[in-house]
Amino acid sequence: MPAQSKLEAGSVRPPTAPLTERQEARRRRILQATAQLASRGGFDAVQMREVAESSQVALGTLYRYFPSKVHLLVATMQDQLEHLHGTLRKKPPAGDSPGERVAQTLMRAFRALQREPQLADAMVRALTFADRGVSPEVDQVSRRTTAIILDATGLDHPAPRQLAAVRVIEHTWYSALIAWLSGRASIAQVQVDIETVCRLMDLTDPQASSGAR
């Protein structure tokens, strides 16, 4: 298994107390060091000892924050998405329909990841390797992605069918990202796929939802 885990596969960590300001600053340094190492050398460049040294924390302390490399990289992806979400909120998409706005948003997210392909590959590989022991971190990534998509729709009260469409869009976006990272899809193909699936937001409106009952 590529991850250097301190947990048994499938184990679940107990809930932790909120971080103090000092602990949060330490966690921030760890995530920044991880992103820098991954940007330079991808998944294999992120080694726990190197991350500890780069972030100036003891190796044992690093493992208390992140029990494995997979935990660390999935948390890094959540952090990157959180930063991206803040940027998107400052300059929201301007499409006429929810589908157009979501497509614009996801392509902006894709281009942000495209600028750091080694980092993007490392984070996506970590998501692929994640087992049940990494479920809390994976769930945070999914929730943040969902929030980014919902913000782009501009819908205050999305209907159940629209929420289902959001889930399909999220799955397609990650699949398209994997296909591009693996060289199986061009940027143009990614854009076509994203624009196509985002039309679901315009097909699954509240009236269509009520009419299907």
Side-chain angles (χ1 to χ4, degrees):
M1 184 176 181
Q4 301 173 14
S5 179
K6 290 284 186 177
L7 294 177
E8 294 296 327
S11 63
V12 178
R13 288 173 291 158
T16 58
L19 298 179
T20 65
E21 185 176 341
R22 183 177 179 181
Q23 289 171 330
E24 184 58 42
R26 185 181 296 131
R27 183 178 185 275
R28 174 65 47 192
R29 291 203 311 273
I30 292 170
L31 293 176
Q32 289 174 345
T34 302
Q36 290 171 358
L37 287 168
S39 294
R40 292 197 296 265
F43 185 86
D44 293 336
V46 180
Q47 301 298 326
M48 298 299 272
R49 189 171 299 279
E50 281 76 5
V51 172
E53 292 175 356
S54 296
S55 57
Q56 298 181 325
V57 302
L59 184 59
T61 300
L62 174 59
Y63 275 114
R64 285 198 295 272
Y65 281 81
F66 302 101
S68 76
K69 182 165 83 169
V70 168
H71 286 86
L72 181 54
L73 280 166
V74 174
T76 300
M77 184 162 198
Q78 196 278 335
D79 185 65
Q80 295 287 315
L81 288 172
E82 185 176 348
H83 176 73
L84 175 65
H85 198 181
T87 301
L88 290 168
R89 281 173 166 167
K90 292 177 184 177
K91 189 177 180 182
D96 293 332
S97 70
E100 288 179 15
R101 293 192 294 272
V102 173
Q104 286 183 24
T105 294
L106 292 181
M107 286 309 299
R108 284 171 63 184
F110 175 79
R111 292 187 183 99
L113 292 170
Q114 183 188 2
R115 288 193 288 271
E116 297 283 357
Q118 295 263 52
L119 174 59
D121 182 69
M123 295 186 300
V124 170
R125 285 179 65 181
L127 279 175
T128 303
F129 294 144
D131 58 22
R132 287 182 296 171
V134 199
S135 291
E137 288 82 2
V138 173
D139 288 345
Q140 287 179 4
V141 168
S142 179
R143 284 195 295 270
R144 179 62 62 175
T145 307
T146 298
I148 288 172
I149 294 172
L150 284 175
D151 272 8
T153 68
L155 301 172
D156 294 327
H157 303 289
R161 289 181 66 184
Q162 289 173 312
L163 292 175
V166 168
R167 290 193 296 272
V168 174
I169 291 168
E170 180 180 343
H171 296 326
T172 302
W173 186 72
Y174 279 110
S175 295
L177 179 59
I178 291 170
W180 174 73
L181 287 168
S182 64
R184 293 184 288 107
S186 66
I187 296 172
Q189 289 172 322
V190 168
Q191 183 162 352
V192 169
D193 289 350
I194 293 301
E195 290 175 348
T196 299
V197 75
C198 286
R199 294 192 186 106
L200 286 174
M201 292 309 307
D202 304 324
L203 297 175
T204 55
D205 57 31
Q207 289 75 22
S209 179
S210 61
R213 293 191 181 99

